[in-house]
Amino acid sequence: MSEPCKIHAADPHAAFVAHEWELRQAMDRVLRSGHYIMGPEVEAFEREWAAWLGGAESVAVANGTEALELCLRALGVGPSDTVATVSNTVSATAAAIQQTGASIAWVDVDDSSMTMSPESLAKVLSEAERPIKVVLPVHLYGRPADMIAINVLAAQHGAKVVEDCAQAHGAMLAGRMMGLWGDIAAFSFYPTKNLGALGDGGAVVTRDARLAERLRRLRQYGWRQRYVSEEPGRNSRLDEVQAAVLRVKLNHLDAENACRRKLAKRYLDLLCDQPLQLPPADGADTISAWHQFAVRLPNRAAVQERLAQAGIHCGVLYPVPLHRQPAYAQKVSLPQCERACANVLCLPVYPTLTTADIDRVASELIRCLHT
Ligand SMILES: *Cc1c(COP(=O)(O)O)cnc(C)c1O
């Protein structure tokens, strides 16, 4: 009997092969140009990315973590400030806050969407010892957080809003792209993201021209003009090769996101009667970028192991909430977040998979649930 093909949790190599010729052309163009840093590709990508989102300024940076950190620094966040965020996210979200010296106030999530709970946020905002300077929701798995409620609460408490859009390229709420809801937003172009480079990359997006200008200084030594630092800065540049790669990938992003939606819809149809909790379907107002398809089930470890034996590899994003990790430990109780981290399992959902792959994952999963 021949082994069935492996289905990986993510497959950046397949994403490269899918556009290999175009990507090689783009990279070759940069190699031959002799211009490798802060040149025409970065400028063009910033313009095209902002236009794709539907109007904002976009500042390309080195990665998603620094995009978040620079958002906070551009808003003036420092050691005497507090940032409110969620705990079921990648360490990067907390690392970015910690780099500024600010403290973290943990907010619980909503059970259904697994994104920031407005009720919990209201409590954190009103009970905080000192005013919360920034609220930082994460559009986890591509699912938009409830930005309408979050923006209202933040405004009531005089807090700014930074969106973590690292998993939400193309997610929409009420017809507006995620990244255009807060004061400023951070994207990652890590290879497995919906828009992924062949290396590291990130971008900050804002409709505030002054914030964008500050970002441009902060990402390069604090320079206003060459060799003159106006304020302390750093090096967080995106390079020309990655910008050229991202321009190619951006041309395919609509089609690839549509493919993710189709695959997710198929999972929802195939698994609707099963004893597990499915992610909410897209509605008229809320469109997920389907970066992950996260189901909830009690016996996660056993199911993950049996699927792996069948050649199907699922991710657990994220097994340990940040407030329980040594680097960020705090004695707080976040029951919904802790429950999510204990029972979430991410089924493979990316555009180089076929509907036949989805059928295979779903039928193996159903078999696991019933034997
Ligand atoms: C990927 C990711 C980041 C960090 O992006 P990097 O480019 O890896 O630094 C931040 N937040 C979330 C939610 C992510 O998924």
Side-chain angles (χ1 to χ4, degrees):
M1 210 178 78
S2 70
E3 288 271 314
C5 282
K6 261 195 189 164
I7 298 180
H8 303 280
D11 198 347
H13 179 252
F16 164 65
V17 172
H19 309 296
E20 178 167 357
W21 188 80
E22 270 186 284
L23 289 167
R24 285 191 187 276
Q25 294 255 314
M27 288 187 279
D28 202 46
R29 179 174 75 228
V30 176
L31 299 184
R32 285 167 190 281
S33 76
H35 206 151
Y36 306 124
I37 291 285
M38 298 289 269
E41 300 288 343
V42 167
E43 268 175 39
F45 173 68
E46 287 179 338
R47 253 192 336 268
E48 289 160 11
W49 180 234
W52 189 84
L53 287 171
E57 286 206 46
S58 140
V59 180
V61 298
N63 57 63
T65 311
E66 294 195 337
L68 280 168
E69 183 192 335
L70 292 173
C71 284
L72 296 171
R73 288 195 188 277
L75 291 170
V77 172
S80 58
D81 296 313
T82 304
V83 176
T85 194
V86 292
S87 178
N88 57 333
T89 175
V90 69
S91 306
T93 310
I97 299 170
Q98 218 171 38
Q99 284 298 313
T100 67
S103 315
I104 301 175
W106 297 110
V107 182
D108 207 355
V109 293
D110 171 74
D111 180 61
S112 160
S113 71
M114 289 183 268
T115 60
M116 184 178 275
S117 151
E119 291 74 39
S120 176
L121 175 63
K123 211 157 168 278
V124 167
L125 285 167
S126 45
E127 289 173 4
E129 279 167 27
R130 53 186 190 196
I132 303 277
K133 177 125 173 178
V134 167
V135 177
L136 200 168
V138 178
H139 307 308
L140 192 71
Y141 312 136
R143 176 92 190 163
D146 183 352
M147 293 309 295
I148 296 167
I150 290 169
N151 278 350
V152 168
L153 287 166
Q156 281 168 356
H157 289 82
K160 300 286 186 191
V161 177
V162 174
E163 293 174 76
D164 183 339
C165 291
Q167 304 187 1
H169 316 71
M172 282 178 118
L173 186 62
R176 192 198 296 176
M177 287 277 191
M178 305 327 286
L180 304 182
W181 281 88
D183 294 281
I184 190 163
F187 285 87
S188 163
F189 305 123
Y190 183 83
T192 59
K193 309 289 184 183
N194 288 40
L195 179 62
L198 296 171
D200 274 313
V204 173
V205 164
T206 178
R207 282 165 299 164
D208 180 332
R210 281 190 29 242
L211 278 181
E213 200 183 294
R214 182 143 195 223
L215 251 307
R216 287 181 202 287
R217 290 199 299 271
L218 290 174
R219 75 163 163 195
Q220 183 164 238
Y221 319 135
W223 280 356
R224 177 185 289 284
Q225 66 190 78
R226 213 173 175 77
Y227 308 128
V228 183
S229 293
E230 168 127 342
E231 60 183 317
R234 64 165 67 210
N235 171 2
S236 184
R237 296 178 297 233
L238 181 71
D239 64 66
E240 286 284 287
V241 169
Q242 297 307 336
V245 164
L246 288 166
R247 293 180 69 201
V248 170
K249 294 282 202 86
L250 180 55
N251 285 329
H252 300 282
L253 184 55
D254 281 319
E256 292 186 347
N257 275 348
C259 182
R260 286 174 187 268
R261 273 200 298 282
K262 185 185 76 180
L263 300 179
K265 174 82 172 46
R266 193 161 182 96
Y267 273 138
L268 289 169
D269 290 344
L270 293 169
L271 297 172
C272 66
D273 296 326
Q274 296 303 319
L276 44 71
Q277 189 178 332
L278 291 169
D282 286 342
D285 258 15
T286 309
I287 296 173
S288 174
W290 295 107
H291 175 63
Q292 299 289 342
F293 189 93
V295 302
R296 316 272 297 271
L297 69 191
N299 47 344
R300 173 183 66 202
V303 170
Q304 186 182 16
E305 170 64 29
R306 284 193 52 195
L307 287 173
Q309 281 163 10
I312 296 163
H313 297 272
C314 297
V316 174
L317 286 72
Y318 296 93
V320 183
L322 296 178
H323 70 284
R324 293 281 185 83
Q325 298 187 13
Y328 312 109
Q330 257 184 52
K331 278 213 177 64
V332 285
S333 166
L334 305 169
Q336 299 302 339
C337 164
E338 283 158 29
R339 210 178 73 83
C341 290
N343 70 6
V344 73
L345 185 70
C346 298
L347 307 183
V349 65
Y350 44 86
T352 49
L353 292 176
T354 62
T355 47
D357 293 324
I358 300 306
D359 293 357
R360 188 175 135 211
V361 176
S363 63
E364 280 296 340
L365 176 58
I366 291 169
R367 205 196 321 268
C368 293
L369 293 171
H370 294 282
T371 50

